Coordinates of all heavy atoms in Angstrom, one line a residue:
W1 N 46.1 49.3 72.2 CA 45.5 50.5 72.5 C 46.2 51.5 71.4 O 47.4 51.6 71.3 CB 46.1 51.0 73.9 CG 45.5 52.3 74.3 CD1 44.3 52.5 74.8 CD2 46.3 53.5 74.4 NE1 44.1 54.0 75.1 CE2 45.5 54.5 74.9 CE3 47.6 53.8 74.1 CZ2 45.8 55.8 75.1 CZ3 48.0 55.0 74.3 CH2 47.2 56.1 74.8
C2 N 45.4 52.3 70.8 CA 45.7 53.3 69.8 C 45.8 54.7 70.4 O 44.8 55.2 71.0 CB 44.7 53.2 68.7 SG 44.9 54.6 67.5
C3 N 47.0 55.4 70.3 CA 47.1 56.7 70.8 C 46.9 57.7 69.7 O 47.1 58.8 70.0 CB 48.5 56.8 71.3 SG 49.8 56.7 70.2
H4 N 46.4 57.3 68.6 CA 46.2 58.3 67.4 C 44.7 58.8 67.5 O 43.8 58.1 67.9 CB 46.5 57.7 66.1 CG 47.9 57.0 66.2 ND1 48.0 55.7 66.1 CD2 49.2 57.6 66.3 CE1 49.4 55.4 66.1 NE2 49.9 56.5 66.3
H5 N 44.6 60.0 66.8 CA 43.2 60.5 66.5 C 43.3 61.5 65.4 O 44.3 62.2 65.2 CB 42.6 61.2 67.8 CG 41.2 61.5 67.7 ND1 40.7 62.6 66.9 CD2 40.1 60.8 68.2 CE1 39.4 62.5 67.0 NE2 39.1 61.4 67.8
P6 N 42.3 61.3 64.4 CA 42.5 62.2 63.3 C 42.4 63.8 63.6 O 43.0 64.5 62.8 CB 41.2 61.8 62.4 CG 40.4 61.0 63.2 CD 41.3 60.5 64.3
D7 N 42.0 64.2 64.7 CA 41.9 65.6 65.1 C 43.2 65.9 66.0 O 43.2 67.0 66.5 CB 40.7 65.8 65.9 CG 39.4 65.6 65.1 OD1 39.4 65.7 63.8 OD2 38.3 65.3 65.6
A8 N 44.1 65.1 66.2 CA 45.3 65.4 67.0 C 46.1 66.6 66.4 O 46.2 66.7 65.1 CB 46.2 64.1 67.1
E9 N 46.7 67.4 67.2 CA 47.2 68.6 66.7 C 48.7 68.2 66.1 O 49.0 68.8 65.0 CB 47.7 69.5 67.8 CG 46.5 70.3 68.4 CD 46.9 71.3 69.4 OE1 47.9 71.9 69.3 OE2 46.0 71.6 70.3
H10 N 49.3 67.2 66.6 CA 50.7 66.7 66.1 C 50.3 65.8 64.9 O 49.6 65.0 65.0 CB 51.4 66.1 67.2 CG 53.0 66.0 66.7 ND1 53.3 65.0 65.8 CD2 54.0 66.6 67.2 CE1 54.7 65.1 65.6 NE2 55.0 66.1 66.4
P11 N 50.9 66.2 63.7 CA 50.7 65.3 62.6 C 51.0 63.9 62.7 O 50.3 62.9 62.3 CB 51.5 65.9 61.4 CG 52.0 67.2 61.9 CD 51.8 67.3 63.4
E12 N 52.0 63.6 63.5 CA 52.4 62.1 63.9 C 51.3 61.4 64.5 O 51.2 60.2 64.4 CB 53.7 62.0 64.6 CG 55.0 62.4 63.7 CD 55.2 61.4 62.5 OE1 55.1 60.2 62.8 OE2 55.5 61.8 61.5
L13 N 50.6 62.1 65.4 CA 49.5 61.5 66.2 C 48.2 61.5 65.5 O 47.3 60.9 65.7 CB 49.3 62.2 67.5 CG 50.4 62.1 68.4 CD1 50.3 62.9 69.7 CD2 50.7 60.6 68.8
A14 N 48.1 62.2 64.4 CA 46.9 62.2 63.5 C 46.8 61.1 62.5 O 45.8 60.6 62.1 CB 46.7 63.5 62.8
R15 N 48.1 60.5 62.1 CA 48.2 59.4 61.2 C 48.0 58.2 62.1 O 48.7 57.9 63.1 CB 49.5 59.4 60.4 CG 49.6 60.6 59.6 CD 50.9 60.6 58.9 NE 51.2 59.3 58.3 CZ 52.4 58.9 57.7 NH1 53.5 59.8 57.7 NH2 52.6 57.7 57.2
C16 N 47.3 57.3 61.5 CA 47.0 56.0 62.3 C 47.0 54.8 61.4 O 46.3 54.8 60.4 CB 45.7 56.1 63.1 SG 45.4 54.5 63.9
W17 N 47.8 53.8 61.7 CA 47.7 52.6 61.0 C 47.4 51.4 61.9 O 47.3 50.3 61.6 CB 49.2 52.4 60.3 CG 50.3 52.2 61.3 CD1 50.8 53.2 62.1 CD2 50.8 51.1 61.8 NE1 51.8 52.6 62.9 CE2 51.9 51.4 62.8 CE3 50.8 49.7 61.5 CZ2 52.7 50.5 63.4 CZ3 51.6 48.7 62.1 CH2 52.6 49.2 63.0
C18 N 47.0 51.8 63.1 CA 46.8 50.7 64.1 C 45.2 50.6 64.4 O 44.9 49.5 64.9 CB 47.6 50.8 65.3 SG 47.4 52.4 66.1
R19 N 44.5 51.6 64.3 CA 43.0 51.5 64.7 C 42.4 50.4 63.8 O 42.5 50.5 62.5 CB 42.4 52.9 64.6 CG 41.0 52.9 65.3 CD 40.5 54.4 65.2 NE 41.3 55.3 66.1 CZ 40.9 55.6 67.2 NH1 39.9 55.1 67.9 NH2 41.8 56.4 68.0
K20 N 41.7 49.5 64.5 CA 41.0 48.5 63.7 C 40.0 49.2 62.7 O 39.3 50.2 63.2 CB 40.3 47.5 64.6 CG 41.3 46.8 65.4 CD 40.6 45.7 66.3 CE 39.9 46.4 67.5 NZ 39.4 45.6 68.5
P21 N 39.8 48.8 61.5 CA 40.3 47.4 61.0 C 41.8 47.4 60.6 O 42.2 46.6 59.9 CB 39.4 47.2 59.9 CG 39.0 48.5 59.3 CD 38.9 49.4 60.6
G22 N 42.5 48.5 60.8 CA 44.0 48.5 60.5 C 44.6 47.3 61.3 O 44.2 46.9 62.2
V23 N 45.8 46.9 60.8 CA 46.4 45.8 61.4 C 47.7 46.2 62.3 O 48.4 45.3 62.7 CB 46.9 44.8 60.2 CG1 45.8 44.3 59.5 CG2 48.0 45.4 59.3
G24 N 47.8 47.5 62.5 CA 48.9 47.9 63.3 C 49.1 47.3 64.6 O 50.2 46.9 65.2
L25 N 48.0 47.2 65.3 CA 48.1 46.6 66.7 C 48.3 45.0 66.7 O 49.1 44.6 67.6 CB 46.7 46.8 67.5 CG 46.4 48.3 67.9 CD1 45.2 48.4 68.5 CD2 47.4 48.8 68.7
V26 N 47.9 44.4 65.7 CA 48.2 43.0 65.5 C 49.7 42.8 65.2 O 50.4 42.0 65.9 CB 47.5 42.4 64.3 CG1 47.9 41.0 64.1 CG2 46.0 42.4 64.6
I27 N 50.2 43.7 64.4 CA 51.7 43.6 64.1 C 52.5 44.0 65.4 O 53.5 43.3 65.7 CB 52.0 44.6 62.9 CG1 51.5 44.0 61.7 CG2 53.5 44.7 62.8 CD1 51.5 44.8 60.5
A28 N 52.1 45.0 66.1 CA 52.8 45.3 67.3 C 52.7 44.3 68.4 O 53.7 44.0 68.9 CB 52.2 46.6 67.9
A29 N 51.6 43.6 68.5 CA 51.5 42.5 69.4 C 52.4 41.2 69.1 O 53.0 40.7 69.9 CB 50.0 42.0 69.5
S30 N 52.4 41.0 67.7 CA 53.4 40.0 67.2 C 54.8 40.3 67.6 O 55.5 39.4 68.1 CB 53.1 39.9 65.8 OG 54.1 38.9 65.2
L31 N 55.2 41.6 67.4 CA 56.6 42.0 67.7 C 56.8 41.9 69.2 O 57.9 41.4 69.5 CB 56.8 43.3 67.1 CG 56.8 43.4 65.6 CD1 57.0 44.9 65.1 CD2 58.0 42.6 65.0
S32 N 55.8 42.3 69.9 CA 56.1 42.3 71.3 C 56.1 40.9 71.9 O 57.0 40.6 72.8 CB 54.8 43.0 72.1 OG 54.9 42.9 73.5
M33 N 55.4 40.0 71.4 CA 55.4 38.6 71.9 C 56.7 38.0 71.5 O 57.4 37.3 72.2 CB 54.3 37.8 71.2 CG 52.9 38.1 71.9 SD 51.7 36.9 71.2 CE 52.3 35.4 71.6
S34 N 57.2 38.4 70.2 CA 58.5 37.8 69.8 C 59.6 38.3 70.7 O 60.5 37.6 70.9 CB 58.8 38.3 68.3 OG 57.8 37.7 67.5
H35 N 59.5 39.6 71.1 CA 60.5 40.1 71.9 C 60.5 39.4 73.3 O 61.5 39.1 73.8 CB 60.4 41.6 72.0 CG 61.3 42.3 73.0 ND1 62.6 42.5 72.7 CD2 61.1 42.7 74.2 CE1 63.2 43.1 73.7 NE2 62.3 43.1 74.7
H36 N 59.2 39.2 73.9 CA 59.1 38.7 75.1 C 59.6 37.3 75.3 O 60.2 36.8 76.2 CB 57.6 38.8 75.5 CG 57.4 38.3 76.9 ND1 57.6 39.1 78.0 CD2 56.8 37.2 77.3 CE1 57.4 38.4 79.2 NE2 56.8 37.2 78.7
F37 N 59.3 36.5 74.2 CA 59.5 35.0 74.3 C 60.7 34.6 73.5 O 61.1 33.5 73.5 CB 58.3 34.2 73.7 CG 57.1 34.3 74.6 CD1 56.0 35.1 74.2 CD2 57.0 33.7 75.9 CE1 54.8 35.2 75.0 CE2 55.9 33.9 76.7 CZ 54.8 34.7 76.3
G38 N 61.4 35.6 72.8 CA 62.5 35.3 72.0 C 62.3 34.4 70.9 O 63.3 33.7 70.4
E39 N 61.1 34.3 70.3 CA 60.9 33.6 69.1 C 59.9 34.4 68.2 O 59.3 35.3 68.8 CB 60.1 32.3 69.4 CG 60.9 31.2 70.0 CD 60.0 30.0 70.1 OE1 59.8 29.3 69.2 OE2 59.7 29.7 71.2
Y40 N 59.9 34.2 67.0 CA 59.1 35.1 66.1 C 57.7 34.4 65.9 O 57.6 33.2 65.6 CB 59.7 35.2 64.8 CG 58.7 36.0 63.8 CD1 58.4 37.3 64.1 CD2 58.4 35.4 62.6 CE1 57.6 37.9 63.3 CE2 57.6 36.2 61.7 CZ 57.2 37.4 62.1 OH 56.4 38.1 61.2
Y41 N 56.8 35.2 66.2 CA 55.3 34.7 66.2 C 54.6 35.5 65.1 O 54.1 36.5 65.2 CB 54.6 34.8 67.3 CG 55.1 33.8 68.5 CD1 56.1 34.4 69.4 CD2 54.7 32.6 68.5 CE1 56.6 33.6 70.4 CE2 55.3 31.6 69.6 CZ 56.2 32.2 70.4 OH 56.6 31.4 71.4
P42 N 54.7 35.0 63.8 CA 54.0 35.8 62.8 C 52.5 36.0 63.0 O 51.9 34.9 63.6 CB 54.2 35.0 61.4 CG 54.6 33.6 61.9 CD 55.1 33.8 63.3
P43 N 52.0 37.1 62.6 CA 50.5 37.3 63.0 C 49.5 36.2 62.6 O 48.5 35.9 63.2 CB 50.1 38.6 62.3 CG 51.4 39.2 62.1 CD 52.4 38.2 62.0
Y44 N 49.8 35.5 61.4 CA 48.9 34.6 60.9 C 48.8 33.3 61.8 O 47.9 32.5 61.6 CB 49.3 34.1 59.5 CG 50.5 33.4 59.3 CD1 50.7 32.2 59.6 CD2 51.6 34.1 58.9 CE1 51.9 31.5 59.4 CE2 52.9 33.5 58.7 CZ 53.0 32.2 58.9 OH 54.2 31.6 58.8
M45 N 49.7 33.2 62.8 CA 49.7 32.1 63.8 C 48.5 32.3 64.7 O 48.2 31.3 65.6 CB 51.0 31.8 64.3 CG 52.0 31.3 63.4 SD 53.6 31.0 64.2 CE 53.3 29.7 65.4
G46 N 48.0 33.5 64.9 CA 47.1 33.8 66.0 C 45.7 33.7 65.6 O 45.2 33.4 64.5
L47 N 44.8 33.8 66.7 CA 43.4 33.7 66.6 C 43.0 35.1 67.1 O 43.3 35.4 68.3 CB 42.8 32.6 67.4 CG 41.3 32.7 67.6 CD1 40.5 32.4 66.3 CD2 41.0 31.6 68.7
M48 N 42.1 35.8 66.4 CA 41.6 37.0 67.0 C 40.2 36.7 67.4 O 39.4 36.2 66.6 CB 41.6 38.1 65.8 CG 41.1 39.5 66.4 SD 41.5 40.6 65.2 CE 41.1 42.1 66.1
V49 N 39.9 37.2 68.6 CA 38.6 37.1 69.1 C 37.9 38.5 69.2 O 38.6 39.3 69.8 CB 38.5 36.3 70.5 CG1 37.1 36.3 71.1 CG2 39.1 34.9 70.5
G50 N 36.7 38.7 68.6 CA 36.2 40.0 68.7 C 34.7 40.0 68.5 O 34.1 39.0 68.4
D51 N 34.2 41.2 68.8 CA 32.7 41.4 68.8 C 32.3 42.5 68.0 O 31.1 42.9 68.0 CB 32.3 41.6 70.3 CG 32.9 42.8 70.8 OD1 33.7 43.5 70.2 OD2 32.6 43.1 72.1
R52 N 33.2 42.9 67.1 CA 32.7 44.0 66.2 C 33.1 43.8 64.8 O 34.1 43.0 64.5 CB 33.2 45.3 66.6 CG 33.0 45.7 68.1 CD 33.7 46.9 68.5 NE 33.2 48.1 67.9 CZ 33.5 49.3 68.2 NH1 34.5 49.5 69.0 NH2 33.0 50.4 67.6
P53 N 32.3 44.2 63.7 CA 32.8 44.0 62.4 C 34.1 44.5 62.1 O 34.9 43.8 61.3 CB 31.8 44.7 61.6 CG 30.6 44.9 62.4 CD 31.0 45.0 63.8
E54 N 34.6 45.5 62.7 CA 36.1 45.9 62.4 C 37.1 45.0 62.9 O 38.2 44.9 62.4 CB 36.4 47.3 62.9 CG 35.7 48.3 63.7 CD 34.4 48.2 64.3 OE1 33.4 47.6 63.7 OE2 34.3 49.0 65.3
D55 N 36.7 44.2 64.0 CA 37.6 43.2 64.5 C 37.7 42.1 63.3 O 38.8 41.6 63.1 CB 37.0 42.5 65.7 CG 36.9 43.6 66.9 OD1 37.6 44.6 66.8 OD2 36.0 43.3 67.7
Q56 N 36.6 41.7 62.9 CA 36.6 40.6 61.8 C 37.4 41.1 60.5 O 38.1 40.4 60.0 CB 35.1 40.3 61.4 CG 35.1 39.1 60.6 CD 33.6 38.7 60.2 OE1 32.7 39.6 60.1 NE2 33.4 37.4 60.1
E57 N 37.2 42.3 60.2 CA 37.9 42.9 59.0 C 39.5 42.9 59.3 O 40.2 42.6 58.5 CB 37.4 44.3 58.7 CG 38.2 44.9 57.6 CD 38.0 44.3 56.2 OE1 37.1 43.5 56.0 OE2 39.0 44.5 55.4
C58 N 39.8 43.4 60.5 CA 41.3 43.4 60.9 C 41.8 42.0 60.8 O 42.9 41.9 60.3 CB 41.3 44.1 62.4 SG 43.0 43.9 62.9
A59 N 41.1 41.1 61.4 CA 41.7 39.6 61.3 C 41.8 39.2 59.9 O 42.9 38.6 59.6 CB 40.7 38.6 62.0
A60 N 40.9 39.6 58.9 CA 41.0 39.1 57.6 C 42.2 39.8 56.9 O 43.0 39.2 56.2 CB 39.6 39.5 56.8
R61 N 42.5 41.1 57.2 CA 43.5 41.8 56.7 C 44.8 41.4 57.1 O 45.8 41.3 56.3 CB 43.5 43.3 57.0 CG 42.4 44.1 56.3 CD 42.4 45.5 56.7 NE 41.3 46.3 56.1 CZ 41.1 47.6 56.3 NH1 42.1 48.3 56.8 NH2 40.1 48.2 55.7
A62 N 44.9 40.8 58.3 CA 46.2 40.4 59.0 C 46.3 38.8 58.6 O 47.4 38.3 59.0 CB 46.2 40.6 60.4
G63 N 45.4 38.2 58.1 CA 45.6 36.7 57.8 C 45.4 35.8 59.1 O 45.8 34.8 59.1
L64 N 44.6 36.5 60.1 CA 44.3 35.8 61.3 C 43.0 35.0 61.2 O 42.1 35.4 60.5 CB 44.1 36.8 62.5 CG 45.3 37.5 62.9 CD1 44.9 38.8 63.9 CD2 46.2 36.6 63.8
D65 N 43.0 33.9 61.8 CA 41.6 33.2 62.1 C 40.9 34.1 63.0 O 41.4 34.9 63.8 CB 41.9 31.9 62.7 CG 42.5 30.9 61.7 OD1 42.3 31.0 60.5 OD2 43.2 29.8 62.3
F66 N 39.5 34.1 62.8 CA 38.7 34.9 63.6 C 37.6 34.2 64.2 O 37.0 33.2 63.6 CB 38.1 36.1 62.8 CG 37.2 36.9 63.5 CD1 37.7 38.0 64.3 CD2 35.8 36.7 63.6 CE1 36.8 38.8 64.9 CE2 34.9 37.6 64.1 CZ 35.4 38.6 64.9
Q67 N 37.2 34.5 65.4 CA 36.1 33.9 66.1 C 35.4 34.9 66.8 O 35.9 35.9 67.5 CB 36.6 32.9 67.1 CG 35.4 31.9 67.5 CD 36.0 30.8 68.3 OE1 37.0 30.7 69.0 NE2 35.1 29.7 68.3
W68 N 34.0 34.9 66.7 CA 33.1 35.9 67.5 C 33.2 35.6 68.9 O 33.2 34.5 69.4 CB 31.7 35.7 67.0 CG 31.6 36.3 65.6 CD1 31.4 35.6 64.4 CD2 31.6 37.6 65.2 NE1 31.3 36.5 63.3 CE2 31.4 37.7 63.9 CE3 31.7 38.8 65.9 CZ2 31.3 38.9 63.1 CZ3 31.6 40.1 65.1 CH2 31.6 40.1 63.8
A69 N 33.2 36.7 69.8 CA 33.5 36.5 71.2 C 32.4 35.7 71.9 O 32.8 34.9 72.7 CB 33.5 37.9 71.8
A70 N 31.2 35.8 71.5 CA 30.2 35.0 72.1 C 30.4 33.5 71.9 O 30.3 32.8 72.9 CB 28.7 35.4 71.6
Q71 N 30.8 33.2 70.7 CA 31.0 31.8 70.4 C 32.4 31.3 71.2 O 32.3 30.2 71.7 CB 31.3 31.7 69.0 CG 31.6 30.2 68.4 CD 32.0 30.2 67.0 OE1 32.5 31.2 66.5 NE2 31.7 29.2 66.2
W72 N 33.3 32.2 71.3 CA 34.6 31.8 72.0 C 34.3 31.7 73.5 O 34.7 30.6 74.1 CB 35.7 32.8 71.8 CG 36.9 32.6 72.4 CD1 37.9 31.8 71.9 CD2 37.4 33.2 73.7 NE1 39.0 31.8 72.8 CE2 38.7 32.6 73.8 CE3 36.9 34.1 74.5 CZ2 39.4 33.0 74.9 CZ3 37.7 34.4 75.6 CH2 39.0 33.9 75.8
R73 N 33.4 32.5 74.0 CA 33.1 32.4 75.5 C 32.3 31.1 75.7 O 32.6 30.4 76.7 CB 32.2 33.6 76.0 CG 33.0 34.8 76.1 CD 32.3 35.9 76.9 NE 32.7 37.2 76.4 CZ 32.0 38.0 75.6 NH1 31.0 37.5 75.0 NH2 32.6 39.1 75.3
A74 N 31.4 30.7 74.8 CA 30.5 29.6 75.0 C 31.5 28.4 75.0 O 31.3 27.4 75.8 CB 29.6 29.5 73.9
Q75 N 32.5 28.3 74.2 CA 33.4 27.2 74.1 C 34.2 27.1 75.5 O 34.7 26.1 75.8 CB 34.4 27.3 72.9 CG 33.7 27.1 71.7 CD 34.6 27.2 70.5 OE1 35.8 27.9 70.6 NE2 34.3 26.7 69.4
A76 N 34.6 28.3 76.0 CA 35.4 28.4 77.1 C 34.7 27.9 78.5 O 35.3 27.8 79.5 CB 36.0 29.8 77.3
E77 N 33.4 28.0 78.4 CA 32.5 27.6 79.6 C 32.9 26.1 80.0 O 33.0 25.3 79.2 CB 31.1 27.7 79.3 CG 30.6 29.1 79.0 CD 30.4 30.0 80.4 OE1 30.1 29.3 81.3 OE2 30.7 31.2 80.3
P78 N 33.2 26.0 81.3 CA 33.4 24.6 81.8 C 32.2 23.8 81.6 O 31.0 24.3 81.6 CB 33.7 24.7 83.2 CG 33.2 26.0 83.6 CD 33.1 26.9 82.4
E79 N 32.4 22.5 81.3 CA 31.3 21.5 81.1 C 30.7 21.4 82.5 O 31.4 21.4 83.5 CB 31.8 20.2 80.6 CG 32.4 20.4 79.2 CD 32.0 19.3 78.2 OE1 31.3 18.4 78.6 OE2 32.5 19.4 77.1
P80 N 29.4 21.1 82.5 CA 28.7 20.8 83.8 C 29.2 19.7 84.5 O 29.6 18.7 83.8 CB 27.2 20.7 83.5 CG 27.1 20.8 82.0 CD 28.5 21.2 81.4
A81 N 29.3 19.8 85.8 CA 29.9 18.6 86.5 C 29.0 17.4 86.3 O 27.7 17.6 86.3 CB 30.0 19.0 88.0
P82 N 29.5 16.1 86.4 CA 28.7 15.1 86.4 C 27.9 14.9 87.6 O 28.3 15.4 88.6 CB 29.7 13.8 86.1 CG 30.9 14.4 86.6 CD 31.0 15.8 86.4
P83 N 26.8 14.2 87.6 CA 25.9 14.1 88.8 C 26.8 13.3 89.8 O 27.7 12.5 89.4 CB 24.8 13.3 88.5 CG 25.0 12.8 87.0 CD 26.2 13.5 86.4
P84 N 26.6 13.5 91.1 CA 27.3 12.9 92.2 C 27.0 11.4 92.2 O 25.9 11.0 91.7 CB 27.0 13.6 93.4 CG 25.6 14.2 93.1 CD 25.6 14.5 91.7
D85 N 28.0 10.5 92.6 CA 27.7 9.1 92.7 C 26.6 9.0 93.8 O 26.5 9.7 94.7 CB 29.0 8.4 93.2 CG 30.0 8.4 92.1 OD1 29.5 8.4 90.8 OD2 31.2 8.4 92.5
P86 N 25.8 7.8 93.6 CA 24.7 7.6 94.6 C 25.4 7.2 95.8 O 26.4 6.6 95.9 CB 23.9 6.5 93.9 CG 24.7 5.9 92.9 CD 25.7 7.0 92.4
P87 N 24.8 7.5 97.0 CA 25.4 7.1 98.2 C 25.5 5.6 98.4 O 24.5 4.9 97.8 CB 24.5 7.8 99.4 CG 23.2 8.2 98.6 CD 23.6 8.3 97.2
D88 N 26.4 5.0 99.0 CA 26.5 3.6 99.3 C 25.3 3.2 100.2 O 25.1 3.9 101.2 CB 27.8 3.2 99.9 CG 28.9 3.4 98.8 OD1 28.7 3.3 97.6 OD2 30.1 3.6 99.3
S89 N 24.8 2.1 99.9 CA 23.6 1.6 100.8 C 23.7 0.1 100.9 O 24.3 -0.6 100.3 CB 22.3 2.1 100.3 OG 22.0 1.7 99.0
Ligands
ZN101 ZN1 46.5 54.3 65.9

């Protein structure tokens, strides 16, 4: 979540390095995960799933692998259940 906006009154809030396609949120997430899990997870170890061109550009800038959301969702769909066994007769 980016708290900056170019029209913000406070100069610190007008400067933004995190809004996509900037990589700030990726770096912040990497640091947050490192803090939470006690290990360093460099951004390039991640996969970014997105649905906008700026998402793809952000991934490229951060060195992340990228996958389109529709494709990722299709992969996450469970496989259809096999047909039930025929009843014993
Ligand atoms: Zn920002």
